[in-house]
């Protein structure tokens, strides 16, 4: 299989395979390379990876309301920090649970009882979830894995921990 790297206008470092998949396309069998000047999703989206739209994105006000309990949902929305345990221990958004996507990506596909043994908390069967990391790359990967594993109501906080810290400092007048 031949691949060609497309020009990526955002100059995103291609660290994770899920993110890399957005910037790499298969070279057509004819051998002609198709280059694109922009980063685009394929027009025909596989059923296992629904289109990424505005409804899947959460901003700081939504996360702040969820973390403070000011916006109760039924079932409760679960904030999931996908950074590594050491990063999570150093600081996280209140009420967030830890699911390190880089060291435990298979956890998304585990049955309920095994999930609890591996991760330490109950699998959010059907409950809405919001993923965040440090800067948004790992949370996008985690959201993609969760959708492929059949999780419902999957959303992302692309600003992630960096945005949360900046906004919290602004709110405290620091």
């Amino acid at each position: 299989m031949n691949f060609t790297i497309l020009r990526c206008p955002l100059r995103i470092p291609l660290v994770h395979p899920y993110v890399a998949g957005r910037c790499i396309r298969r070279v057509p069998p004819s051998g002609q390379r198709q280059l694109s000047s922009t980063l685009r999703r394929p027009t025909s989206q596989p059923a296992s990876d629904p289109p990424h739209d505005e409804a899947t994105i959460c901003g700081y006000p939504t996360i702040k309301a969820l973390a403070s309990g000011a916006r109760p949902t039924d079932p409760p929305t679960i904030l999931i920090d996908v950074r590594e345990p050491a990063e999570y221990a150093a600081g996280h958004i209140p009420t967030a649970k830890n699911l390190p996507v880089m060291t435990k990506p298979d956890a998304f596909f585990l049955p309920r009882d095994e999930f609890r043994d591996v991760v330490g908390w109950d699998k959010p069967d059907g409950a809405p979830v919001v993923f965040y990391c440090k800067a948004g790359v790992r949370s996008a990967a985690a959201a993609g894995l969760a959708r492929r594993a059949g999780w419902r109501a999957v959303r992302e906080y692309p600003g992630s921990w960096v945005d949360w810290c900046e906004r919290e400092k602004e709110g405290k007048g620091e």
Side-chain angles (χ1 to χ4, degrees):
M1 206 188 291
N2 295 326
F3 290 91
T4 182
I5 297 180
L6 305 177
R7 291 182 287 163
C8 202
L10 304 175
R11 303 222 186 266
I12 300 170
L14 303 178
V15 176
H16 194 277
Y18 180 78
V19 176
R22 293 181 180 176
C23 291
I24 297 178
R25 284 201 192 143
R26 189 173 168 192
V27 175
S30 64
Q32 297 176 350
R33 294 176 185 256
Q34 294 179 346
L35 297 177
S36 171
S37 60
T38 59
L39 183 62
R40 294 184 211 146
R41 270 202 166 316
T43 53
S44 60
Q45 201 69 14
S48 61
D49 191 15
H52 187 81
D53 59 26
E54 292 302 316
T56 64
I57 301 296
C58 291
Y60 173 79
T62 303
I63 300 301
K64 179 73 173 177
L66 290 171
S68 67
R71 186 188 294 180
T73 60
D74 186 33
T77 299
I78 302 169
L79 285 174
I80 302 176
D81 186 328
V82 297
R83 300 175 299 156
E84 294 304 307
E87 294 173 283
Y88 177 80
H92 58 274
I93 297 173
T95 74
K97 299 181 180 200
N98 187 230
L99 173 54
V101 70
M102 298 306 282
T103 55
K104 296 181 182 176
D106 56 333
F108 292 94
F109 301 92
L110 293 174
R112 186 176 181 79
D113 57 336
E114 289 180 43
F115 183 90
R116 181 163 183 68
D117 292 341
V118 170
V119 180
W121 47 276
D122 289 329
K123 190 172 183 176
D125 293 330
V129 295
V130 179
F131 292 104
Y132 78 92
C133 59
K134 182 177 178 182
V137 175
R138 289 176 282 182
S139 64
L145 286 169
R147 288 182 188 107
R148 285 189 185 98
W151 292 27
R152 306 237 185 276
V154 174
R155 297 184 294 169
E156 303 168 42
Y157 175 31
S160 290
W161 182 246
V162 171
D163 183 56
W164 174 267
C165 290
E166 287 175 7
R167 302 278 189 115
E168 288 295 295
K169 281 182 184 177
E170 289 172 9
K172 293 179 181 174
E174 293 180 12

